[in-house]
Structure formats: structure tokens, C-alpha cells
Amino acid sequence: MYKVLWDKRAVSDLKGIDKKKATELVKKLEKHLKINPLELGKKLTGQFKGFLRYRYGDYRVIYQVYNKDVTVVIIKVGHRSDVYRGNNLVAKAY
């Protein structure tokens, strides 16, 4: 099983989401990312190469998988309209 870590920015991003949706999203991510994070998400390309994204309604979760350490780091959470803006997606919690 994978260990799921949350980047400080991702935790901050959750505060901007409806509390009920954020709670559901966290529960789902914690449950499913532990088992098989590579099958849950879709690989991103271009400037986001090396990251995966999980779709939850209108929200997107960007994360990175470290197979060697059996760890998943959730880096960014946001609405689909603006989650891909900016390219500073280096995990700070890891």
C-alpha cells in the first residue's frame, strides 16, 4: 500500500472548496490512492509531464507517485478552469 502525503498548497487549496465536497474528495483520495495510484489517475503531458491527475466532478487533483518510496504526494487541488495555471508544481512536502 502507498503512503499518501499532502503538500501544503494542496491542503490550502482544499479550504477554497465547499466543505462537503472537500471532505468527500479527501476520503476518496485517501482510500483509492493507497491501493493503486497509477490506475486511478491519468498521466499529464507537456509542462506537467511526470504528474498524474484525478478528476472529481469539476475539480482536479494533481499528484505525483514515487514508486521507490511507495509514496503519493498530492500537490494541487482546484477547479478544472484554473488548476493547470502556473507551472510551479514541485512537491514541497516531500
Side-chain angles (χ1 to χ4, degrees):
M1 293 194 50
Y2 284 80
K3 182 177 170 183
V4 178
L5 301 175
W6 288 78
D7 186 273
K8 293 175 186 177
R9 288 173 295 175
V11 173
S12 177
D13 292 342
L14 283 174
K15 294 176 184 175
I17 299 174
D18 174 62
K19 199 170 193 173
K20 183 179 176 187
K21 284 189 187 241
T23 303
E24 291 171 2
L25 178 61
V26 169
K27 286 181 184 178
K28 192 166 191 164
L29 287 171
E30 291 285 340
K31 179 181 176 184
H32 294 292
L33 285 179
K34 287 181 179 181
I35 298 168
N36 197 347
L38 297 173
E39 284 189 17
L40 182 66
K42 178 181 176 183
K43 290 182 180 181
L44 296 174
T45 60
Q47 68 183 16
F48 301 106
K49 187 175 182 178
F51 295 96
L52 290 101
R53 71 111 167 109
Y54 172 72
R55 193 174 92 191
Y56 182 75
D58 285 339
Y59 294 95
R60 303 294 182 265
V61 177
I62 298 175
Y63 63 96
Q64 197 163 23
V65 178
Y66 297 92
N67 287 317
K68 183 178 176 184
D69 300 326
V70 194
T71 304
V72 175
V73 179
I74 299 172
I75 299 170
K76 196 168 183 181
V77 179
H79 192 271
R80 64 186 176 94
S81 65
D82 60 16
V83 75
Y84 301 109
R85 292 188 185 159
N87 58 359
N88 188 15
L89 294 180
V90 177
K92 293 182 181 176
Y94 191 70

